[in-house]
Amino acid sequence: MAKTNIGAAFGALAHNSLDASGLALSARIACRLTDMSPAEVRAIDSDLSFFAKSITLRPTSGYTAAELVDYRRASELIRKSGESRKQSPSSFDQQAHFNYIKDAKNDLPGPDRPGFYFGASYWAYSDHAERVKTRLAWNEAGHQLTAGIGVIETLDFTERKNLFRRWFGNAGPDVVKLVLQRTLTGITTRCTGLLYAGQAARGNPLGLSENGIADRGMAAAVRSDEFWGIAYYGAPYIRLGTCFFDESETGGQPTRYHSRDVVGAMEVSRGGAIVHEATHLFAETTDVRLSDVPNDAVFLRLNVAVTNQNRDAQGYGPRVCHALAQVSGAMAAKNADNYRLFCEDAFAQLTSSARS
């Protein structure tokens, strides 16, 4: 079941991963909703109810009553979002709505304005609280990236030099600064779709498809995934999964340094999760495989034997990323989670200095 009438409308608009113009239309509508106030979105959702009018509706031409209602919702969402100036059909005639939706597709591209927008999957499955968390996280990421750049620009202070070496070892500060600058510019000036892969999308009951789900940003059916996020360089999307929304896995802005010695701890802030994925998207970072570091140096540093089970382990979390930085600054400067940890610690350091 859809959580909202808007979600049901998107289910009617974007159920075919091969319908490029339909997916682009859905993304444009989703972007318009992102730019509206919560009150405006609630008003549109209320207008898409049609409950009283649909009580006596009968199936026709191979469509169930529920499907006929959803097609009308889709047409009305197109009009109320501003994607079409034409009046939407006032009946439940499927062919009339099919023609109206086809007209609205018009082969235009997806959104293209600076900043993020919530994709159709967010409007179909997330709740208001999850959208608030995500908006805050995007802003937090900007603060963390700015803090990271600020630390690099003041490395003559011993505590800041030590912080840099903690997460990047002997890497060149200019290399790291360039990645942070590219990432900050990206989240500020590029159009990025945020896609929902949280718990509420499990099973994808609406049959919704969206660009950015498959490898390299291709279209596929929406699904829930147990990760913080995923992004690919050059594809303008970041998918955010169940860990991102789970209070036991992810928190707000960091207020203290990471504990680098706790086995298995990730200590992820939501803003940091965005930083991690945004460095992939805008600066071509990777998730370094530990076995790619020469001489199994990270495993030796951690005093961990290399096995078939851990040979493909990647550079995630404070303990592993600190070890990576100490044995290969060059590899640390390619690893997304080192940037996340550095920016979170930089934010904690600078805000702590401001308070004192």
Side-chain angles (χ1 to χ4, degrees):
M1 294 292 292
K3 300 188 85 170
T4 62
N5 297 314
I6 287 174
F10 274 120
L13 280 174
H15 55 270
N16 183 354
S17 63
L18 300 179
D19 180 9
S21 59
L23 297 180
L25 171 62
S26 292
R28 294 196 304 273
I29 293 172
C31 186
R32 288 176 180 269
L33 292 174
T34 304
D35 294 338
M36 295 179 186
S37 70
E40 289 173 313
V41 172
R42 285 195 298 271
I44 291 176
D45 191 72
S46 177
D47 288 344
L48 301 187
S49 173
F50 301 123
F51 175 74
K53 295 181 180 180
S54 65
I55 291 175
T56 59
L57 192 62
R58 296 288 182 266
T60 80
S61 306
Y63 292 92
T64 67
E67 287 171 331
L68 294 174
V69 172
D70 287 346
Y71 273 110
R72 184 167 179 185
R73 284 174 173 145
S75 293
E76 194 69 4
L77 179 60
I78 290 170
R79 185 182 71 82
K80 287 187 174 295
S81 69
E83 272 301 312
S84 176
R85 294 183 179 180
K86 295 180 181 178
Q87 182 64 38
S88 58
S90 58
S91 69
F92 288 94
D93 178 78
Q94 190 276 334
Q95 189 60 47
H97 290 290
F98 178 84
N99 291 336
Y100 185 84
I101 293 167
K102 184 179 178 181
D103 259 3
K105 291 179 181 178
N106 62 31
D107 295 324
L108 290 175
D112 187 21
R113 58 108 171 97
F116 79 88
Y117 68 92
F118 293 126
S121 53
Y122 256 90
W123 296 109
Y125 294 122
S126 75
D127 58 30
H128 175 68
E130 289 172 320
R131 294 192 291 274
V132 169
K133 287 177 181 178
T134 308
R135 285 185 186 276
L136 290 173
W138 191 266
N139 292 333
E140 289 168 2
H143 295 321
Q144 291 178 15
L145 288 161
T146 300
I149 294 168
V151 165
I152 294 174
E153 290 176 342
T154 53
L155 291 180
D156 47 326
F157 290 93
T158 300
E159 63 176 1
R160 297 183 182 179
K161 182 184 294 182
N162 290 341
L163 177 57
F164 180 86
R165 298 302 177 205
R166 183 182 198 189
W167 299 117
F168 294 108
N170 61 3
D174 288 344
V175 173
V176 173
K177 183 179 178 182
L178 180 60
V179 169
L180 296 178
Q181 287 175 326
R182 288 176 64 187
T183 305
L184 181 58
T185 298
I187 70 170
T188 305
T189 65
R190 298 275 294 279
C191 186
T192 305
L194 299 183
L195 313 182
Y196 183 80
Q199 182 70 31
R202 193 169 303 280
N204 190 20
L206 294 171
L208 186 69
S209 291
E210 193 167 37
N211 287 318
I213 305 293
D215 287 351
R216 304 298 154 188
M218 301 299 288
V222 171
R223 64 178 185 268
S224 172
D225 277 305
E226 294 182 0
F227 52 42
W228 277 271
I230 189 167
Y232 300 104
Y233 176 69
Y237 310 102
I238 297 175
R239 290 182 68 223
L240 298 170
T242 58
C243 293
F244 180 84
F245 300 102
D246 187 340
E247 296 291 344
S248 69
E249 298 274 7
T250 312
Q253 287 280 51
T255 57
R256 59 182 176 79
Y257 285 178
H258 290 286
S259 52
R260 68 190 185 201
D261 298 323
V262 179
V263 177
M266 290 291 289
E267 299 181 350
V268 182
S269 69
R270 287 193 182 85
I274 298 289
V275 168
H276 177 119
E277 301 306 332
T279 65
H280 287 322
L281 180 55
F282 300 117
E284 296 182 84
T285 62
T286 186
D287 298 318
V288 169
R289 284 191 352 147
L290 304 187
S291 57
D292 289 341
V293 180
N295 305 314
D296 293 329
V298 177
F299 292 100
L300 291 171
R301 177 88 185 187
L302 294 171
N303 195 27
V304 172
V306 182
T307 66
N308 289 335
Q309 286 71 35
N310 66 18
R311 177 162 291 281
D312 290 330
Q314 294 173 296
Y316 296 125
R319 184 168 180 263
V320 171
C321 289
H322 178 259
L324 176 62
Q326 304 318 301
V327 301
S328 176
M331 296 293 273
K334 297 178 181 178
N335 190 54
D337 221 34
N338 282 73
Y339 287 93
R340 188 265 297 181
L341 292 157
F342 172 68
C343 287
E344 288 174 331
D345 274 2
F347 179 86
Q349 184 180 92
L350 292 182
T351 52
S352 174
S353 298
R355 286 193 298 268
S356 61

